[in-house]
């Protein structure tokens, strides 16, 4: 079923702007899209450490190699936007405010602010976020993750749904049991 542009998932305001001039790597984008959308791989770029489909993809590589831009290109891709009802994007970094990021994701994914609760913790907010995502078709992008614990505190996708999580990181193996694509090994 074709959907017009108004029915594509909106791109969150937190997504970085694409540069006017960039070295595009269509084979990388195609492979990452393949993983996120679940159709057969082109075989051009191989995903390393391919695991059982966990709904997660990690793009790792040194700083400046283009992980964030690749993720932003995917989020802007009409096929990706058509496949998901909502897209969430947070830039994690080395010292993230997890509770604020959970609230941001909640609002991006539900269209409503997260209800304020006395005594809220990262765990109680994660539970609220996971409940809101149950059974949905969402794409969640965690850009520039540095620690596994932060990924876990922001992982709201329902593994029983078609939702997916894309994590960009400098750290190979940051996420256990997921597919990874190494951008270090690719030349622009």
């Amino acid at each position: 079923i074709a959907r017009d542009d108004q029915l594509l998932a909106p791109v969150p305001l937190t997504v970085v702007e694409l540069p006017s001039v960039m070295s595009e790597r269509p084979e990388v984008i195609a492979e990452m899209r393949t993983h996120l959308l679940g159709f057969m791989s082109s075989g051009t770029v191989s995903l390393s450490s391919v695991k059982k489909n966990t709904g997660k993809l990690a793009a790792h590589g040194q700083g400046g190699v283009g992980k964030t831009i690749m993720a932003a290109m995917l989020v802007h891709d009409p096929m990706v936007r058509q496949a998901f009802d909502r897209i969430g994007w947070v830039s994690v970094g080395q010292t993230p405010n997890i509770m604020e990021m959970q609230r941001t994701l909640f609002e991006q994914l539900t269209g409503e602010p997260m209800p304020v609760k006395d005594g809220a913790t990262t765990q109680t907010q994660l539970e609220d976020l996971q409940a809101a995502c149950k059974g949905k078709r969402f794409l969640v992008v965690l850009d520039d993750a540095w620690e596994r614990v932060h990924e876990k505190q922001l992982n709201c996708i329902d593994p029983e749904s078609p939702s997916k999580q894309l994590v960009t990181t400098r750290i190979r193996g940051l996420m256990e049991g997921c597919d990874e694509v190494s951008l270090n090994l690719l030349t622009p």
Side-chain angles (χ1 to χ4, degrees):
I1 297 174
R3 298 167 75 177
D4 66 9
D5 194 47
Q6 293 178 340
L7 297 177
L8 297 177
V11 175
L13 296 175
T14 52
V15 175
V16 297
E17 283 190 43
L18 294 174
S20 57
V21 177
M22 65 183 155
S23 176
E24 292 188 35
R25 298 195 256 181
E27 71 284 356
V28 178
I29 293 296
E31 194 65 30
M32 293 171 77
R33 182 190 310 117
T34 294
H35 175 82
L36 292 176
L37 303 184
F39 45 80
M40 291 305 293
S41 170
S42 65
T44 308
V45 175
S46 63
L47 291 172
S48 61
S49 307
V50 176
K51 311 290 184 203
K52 175 182 159 219
N53 186 0
T54 60
K56 296 180 184 182
L57 175 64
H60 63 85
Q62 64 191 23
V65 76
K67 302 173 299 293
T68 297
I69 296 300
M70 291 290 162
M73 289 174 70
L74 279 169
V75 166
H76 283 279
D77 184 289
M79 288 175 65
V80 171
R81 291 177 59 206
Q82 182 177 0
F84 298 101
D85 295 322
R86 292 288 194 144
I87 298 170
W89 177 295
V90 291
S91 295
V92 183
Q94 289 180 300
T95 56
N97 180 337
I98 297 295
M99 290 181 72
E100 181 61 33
M101 289 179 182
Q102 290 170 331
R103 290 188 291 271
T104 297
L105 284 174
F106 188 95
E107 188 162 351
Q108 288 173 346
L109 298 172
T110 67
E112 302 288 329
M114 181 178 268
V116 177
K117 295 182 180 176
D118 286 339
T121 65
T122 56
Q123 185 58 42
T124 61
Q125 284 193 171
L126 178 60
E127 290 166 5
D128 290 345
L129 187 54
Q130 289 171 332
C133 295
K134 189 121 180 103
K136 305 289 196 239
R137 290 185 320 153
F138 293 155
L139 171 60
V140 175
V141 180
L142 307 179
D143 182 43
D144 194 28
W146 285 75
E147 294 187 33
R148 186 173 292 146
V149 66
H150 298 151
E151 181 273 328
K152 290 179 185 285
Q153 293 169 326
L154 295 166
N155 182 2
C156 57
I157 64 166
D158 176 3
E160 302 301 317
S161 76
S163 292
K164 300 287 183 175
Q165 178 176 289
L166 171 61
V167 177
T168 69
T169 181
R170 295 178 186 206
I171 303 156
R172 182 182 190 138
L174 179 78
M175 294 172 31
E176 294 176 341
C178 79
D179 292 335
E180 294 183 299
V181 62
S182 174
L183 297 181
N184 286 339
L185 304 175
L186 307 169
T187 56

